[in-house]
Amino acid sequence: MATILEIEDLSVHFPINIGTVCAVEGVDLQLEQGEVMGLVGESGCGKSTLGFSILRLLRPPGKIVGGQILYHGQDIVRMNEKEIISLRGNRIAMIFQDPLTSLNPLFRIDEQFIETILTHEQGLDKEEAFNRAEKMLENLGISPERLLEYPHQMSGGMRQRIMIGLGLILNPDLLIADEPTTSLDVIVEAQFLDLLNDLRRQYDLTILLITHNLGNVAQLADRITVMYGGTIAEIGPAEAIFQEPLHPYTQGLLSSIPNIKLDQPKLMTMPGSPPDLVNPPPGCVFHPRCSHTMDICRHEKPDVSKRDGHLVRCWLYR
Amino acid sequence: MGNLTRYVITRILLTIPMVFILLSIVFVVLRIMPGDPVSSMLGGHAPESVIEQKKEELGLNRPIAIQYLDYLWQICRLDLGESMVFKQRVTKAIIEKLPATIELTAFGMIITLFLGILMGAYAADKRRSAQDNLIRLYGIVIFCIPVYWLGLMLQLGFGVWLDILPIAGRTGPRVLASTFEKTGFYVLDTILAKDFFALGDVLIHLVLPSFTLGLVLSGIFVRLTRANMLDVLRADYIVAAEARGIQHRKIVYKYALKNAFIPILTMMGLQIALLMAGAILTETTFSWPGMGRLLLERIYLRDYPTLQGVIIVFALIVATVSLIVDIIYAIVDPRVRY
Ligand SMILES: Nc1ncnc2c1ncn2[C@@H]1O[C@H](COP(=O)(O)OP(=O)(O)OP(=O)(O)O)[C@@H](O)[C@H]1O
Ligand code: SF4
Ligand SMILES: [Mg+2]
């Protein structure tokens, strides 16, 4: 399998008046062609920041301060404005959490499609672009007449489908989905995940699925990355992460989700609170909350240990 | 578009009670104002019997309710009575002056919107830069400058010192008055008459007054546009558009500006009264023969019917503009139509 995206030692900082938020710190991550990679972690651990960095969409004062992001071998971090713009929406698509606010309320759906298509394919005329949008809607199970509607005339689930249609209209090979179902209700969410699964095959997509809902990733992801405090705690095949999580944080995360079985011994809640990213704890960022903390954890960052495709940053696996 | 038509019709129907209320307020205010119009008109020393006779003539001794109904009926017939000072219908006096004011206000508004919106959008896009700070400073300073002072400075600078622009009136002496008999809107009249020499002359006379008016009000729009653009530029759909590769400039000046335009439009409707007030002051500074001049002149002469007429026309203008603004609003924002 070919590697489509290779993130190496990426750091993203937000300089603010009380210091610098190290939202992403020394992250390494590889996405293989055609896989769905789930990216999970608590709120504020840097998932969105990582996702936004890939398209260089960080809002000020956010800045990539180190590392590289190789997309098909080309470093996105060092691209000029023109090069990065030609990737956005065209080769790499991104969809967001809230479909209600992600579509411009003042433009009809067809206008938003046509604008996107013509931005990247100057050779086309409006009619051809419109026809393409019609085909896309059919493919998404939406009646093409709805192209002439405004976003406020559609339901949340439908708007999220439109968002993904806008994302895929130019046949990108990488999709970054930042909590795409968080604002949808359970039934619509399940439908949307099914759709995503279909589209993934149809378009031969590689997906980075950001979420804090482990159920979502269980359904779709081939591999899972667990982030904690701006760093990567663990990466592994989905079954391995669910069956035998290695990192104490992942273990805590899994035992904190309720399951349907009534004989579940007890629901764990993780003690402590997420780390302060302005003054992160020295050594392992997780050590103040970890129940296995050793001396070395307090002052030295853990190295990466690899075991058959499973990768973990924790001194327990030295 | 059926929804839009329905919206427009509803909105027009709603204007009727609004106008009715405005007219009633004008009626009440003018009658509780201190000073007796009749005795002041007759010079203040007229004998009681003469005053009484004049009051009888003008119908001021009738019950107030009858006067009110009569007042409304007159307005419905587009008749605003006769001046107390000159032998002249009030409607005629107003029709002579109104085009001058509308022309000035329209040009002032164009300048205000153009400067205010572009500067505001640019500042928001480049927020916290030197350009942004400069534009914000401009927005505050220009708003604090009194209209007549700015007018005077522009007159001194461009009219006297540089001597390149006229400082008073609507035309120069060499332009024939007969050109302007069609509509009273000089720009329009000269174009209709294909008299481009006169058109140039008219436009050049418009420069200083409309810039004075436009500049003063542009401050509000700079600040308003900047604030709204900042909000919009943070919105999810802007980031989403950027994620689709749409060029930054297009996002700022096409997408975001359209979204930010909605609150600006509302403000425009609300500012129309301020614009009118500004126009009155500007007209005085530039000897502009419009409604503002008429108003001031007749205040000195205590010509109550004419004053009442001028105020009614101003009220109708405000109502009309707010109607137009709401209609544009509905055209721009599809959500309003439902
Ligand atoms: N504009 C900003 N200014 C300052 N700090 C920021 C900014 N944006 C994000 N951060 C910080 O960066 C860190 C990572 O934020 P991020 O949004 O990536 O988290 P997340 O994992 O996506 O969380 P969530 O699950 O809530 O979406 C947070 O601690 C946040 O406070
Ligand atoms: S490195 Fe130490 S503190 Fe960190 S997770 Fe492993 S055991 Fe816990
Ligand atoms: Mg997030």
Side-chain angles (χ1 to χ4, degrees), chain A:
Chain A
M1 252 200 280
T3 303
I4 176 168
L5 193 77
E6 211 170 340
I7 300 175
E8 276 170 21
D9 199 22
L10 183 75
S11 296
V12 181
H13 290 177
F14 290 88
I16 53 175
N17 46 16
I18 55 159
T20 299
V21 183
C22 308
V24 170
E25 196 62 50
V27 160
D28 294 306
L29 184 66
Q30 296 191 355
L31 298 193
E32 306 300 333
Q33 186 93 48
E35 74 171 336
V36 175
M37 170 69 94
L39 178 59
V40 299
E42 293 171 295
S43 188
C45 70
K47 304 182 297 291
S48 298
T49 306
L50 182 61
F52 278 95
S53 323
I54 297 171
L55 276 178
R56 291 235 316 256
L57 284 172
L58 292 166
R59 302 277 98 182
K63 212 169 159 35
I64 298 177
V65 292
Q68 52 184 17
I69 303 172
L70 302 177
Y71 169 74
H72 290 295
Q74 281 179 302
D75 188 4
I76 289 177
V77 176
R78 277 160 198 87
M79 280 184 180
N80 64 29
E81 196 62 21
K82 216 174 143 195
E83 290 168 318
I84 181 72
I85 279 189
S86 73
L87 288 188
R88 289 181 189 153
N90 192 21
R91 310 298 311 132
I92 308 177
M94 184 158 183
I95 57 174
F96 303 90
Q97 176 167 348
D98 193 350
L100 297 184
T101 55
S102 294
L103 286 166
N104 195 324
L106 303 189
F107 293 86
R108 281 199 322 255
I109 303 296
D110 64 327
E111 295 175 302
Q112 311 203 26
F113 267 102
I114 291 170
E115 172 98 79
T116 308
I117 296 170
L118 298 187
T119 298
H120 294 288
E121 303 210 355
Q122 276 91 7
L124 289 185
D125 64 26
K126 273 197 174 166
E127 206 178 310
E128 289 166 311
F130 185 86
N131 292 340
R132 234 204 248 189
E134 275 187 328
K135 284 212 193 78
M136 173 57 85
L137 252 64
E138 265 169 39
N139 195 13
L140 296 171
I142 303 174
S143 146
E145 290 104 65
R146 306 209 67 164
L147 271 180
L148 300 180
E149 293 186 357
Y150 287 92
H152 73 271
Q153 292 167 276
M154 303 183 151
S155 68
M158 196 172 286
R159 285 195 231 182
Q160 194 58 300
R161 277 188 277 166
I162 296 284
M163 281 310 292
I164 201 163
L166 280 167
L168 299 185
I169 193 81
L170 291 150
N171 278 312
D173 59 2
L174 176 61
L175 172 70
I176 303 165
D178 189 356
E179 318 219 15
T181 60
T182 306
S183 57
L184 304 178
D185 67 54
V186 216
I187 297 186
V188 181
E189 171 173 32
Q191 289 170 345
F192 184 78
L193 290 176
D194 279 348
L195 177 70
L196 202 58
N197 212 10
D198 287 348
L199 294 172
R200 161 204 186 179
R201 301 227 151 68
Q202 228 177 38
Y203 288 83
D204 198 13
L205 279 175
T206 307
I207 302 180
L208 179 64
L209 180 64
I210 303 175
T211 176
H212 46 227
N213 179 341
L214 284 160
N216 273 351
V217 281
Q219 233 176 312
L220 274 189
D222 303 305
R223 290 199 298 152
I224 294 176
T225 301
V226 181
M227 258 185 107
Y228 182 81
T231 61
I232 287 188
E234 180 168 7
I235 304 176
E239 311 87 68
I241 296 278
F242 280 106
Q243 303 306 328
E244 42 162 343
L246 296 179
H247 198 283
Y249 172 66
T250 315
Q251 293 165 357
L253 201 63
L254 286 171
S255 60
S256 68
I257 42 169
N259 63 28
I260 311 281
K261 277 185 253 148
L262 291 173
D263 61 349
Q264 195 178 10
K266 67 172 195 261
L267 203 59
M268 303 276 295
T269 47
M270 221 177 297
S273 48
D276 171 9
L277 294 181
V278 178
N279 301 299
C284 170
V285 257
F286 188 56
H287 87 250
R289 297 169 80 184
C290 182
S291 49
H292 307 278
T293 313
M294 299 164 283
D295 250 357
I296 189 171
C297 305
R298 287 184 236 278
H299 43 257
E300 255 181 82
K301 284 197 194 312
D303 290 333
V304 179
S305 323
K306 281 188 189 148
R307 315 185 156 182
D308 36 73
H310 203 144
L311 188 151
V312 62
R313 260 179 197 276
C314 170
W315 285 125
L316 289 173
Y317 305 92
R318 199 161 5 164

